Amino acid sequence: MQEHPIRWFITAPQACPYLDDREMQSLLVDPAVSLGGRRFGQLLAEGFRRSGQFVYRHHCACCNACVPVRIPVRAFRPNRSQRRCLSRNHDVTVTLTRPPDQAGPGPTADLDEHMPLFSRYLSSRHTGGGMEQMGREDYAGMLTHRNGPVDLIEFRHADRLIAVAVTDRTPQGLSAVYSFFDPDQPRRGLGTLAILTQVVHARRLGLHYVYLGYWIAQSPKMEYKTRFQLLEGRVNGTWEQLAANR
């Protein structure tokens, strides 16, 4: 089957949400084009991300601070802190589900169950940023795209939902789209648990990478990504190992 050519768009400059006094632009794939899983996976390997129906890569004229990063699944080994996280969560049950509009085997996620946790997380972590206003329709849009399956990994303790990891699946690897969790259980390290579980999921599927989006050295909020060694970053068009912050 002949692949449709990709049309590209560049967004207008806007204030950078990560670094003060800088502007951001993004290179967008025409959302009307159906890439398919293989081409979408190739774009992930070139540093692209998905947000809703948009596949994009930051394309800033005077800044290259955003570094796409990924975990090589075969080489990754959890460090001592991550092993403690796994031990603390030995009583958590993990279930793989799919969005309601996605056909396939396995159970379908109950978005009505997800929404209270999603809203609590946004209120705790994204106050004043606009995301706290996201409703059920916005959340459902996050789970739907035309370029391949979305896996929802649910975490429960005593039958109560405490975390969800939204993951795009491609023939080359998984892409961690978004995770949300109970903000009242910080000791569990549920964000770390979500990434470790996606690594295990990728390994079971025989995939090579888990893509974690962008890392910015100047952003303390993104420092956690360098703890997943041997982390790779795409620098000047080439994937290379990034040193851990110790």
Side-chain angles (χ1 to χ4, degrees), residues 201-238:
H201 182 37
R203 191 172 287 153
R204 287 173 177 167
L205 293 172
L207 303 178
H208 296 291
Y209 301 104
V210 173
Y211 291 88
L212 297 183
Y214 292 107
W215 168 74
I216 299 175
Q218 302 95 315
S219 174
K221 291 183 178 179
M222 296 188 182
E223 184 272 334
Y224 74 91
K225 296 184 182 183
T226 62
R227 301 172 193 161
F228 294 87
Q229 292 295 319
L230 306 164
L231 189 73
E232 294 180 347
R234 186 173 172 83
V235 180
N236 297 324
T238 302

Side-chain angles (χ1 to χ4, degrees), residues 48 134 179:
F48 283 76
M134 292 179 66
S179 295

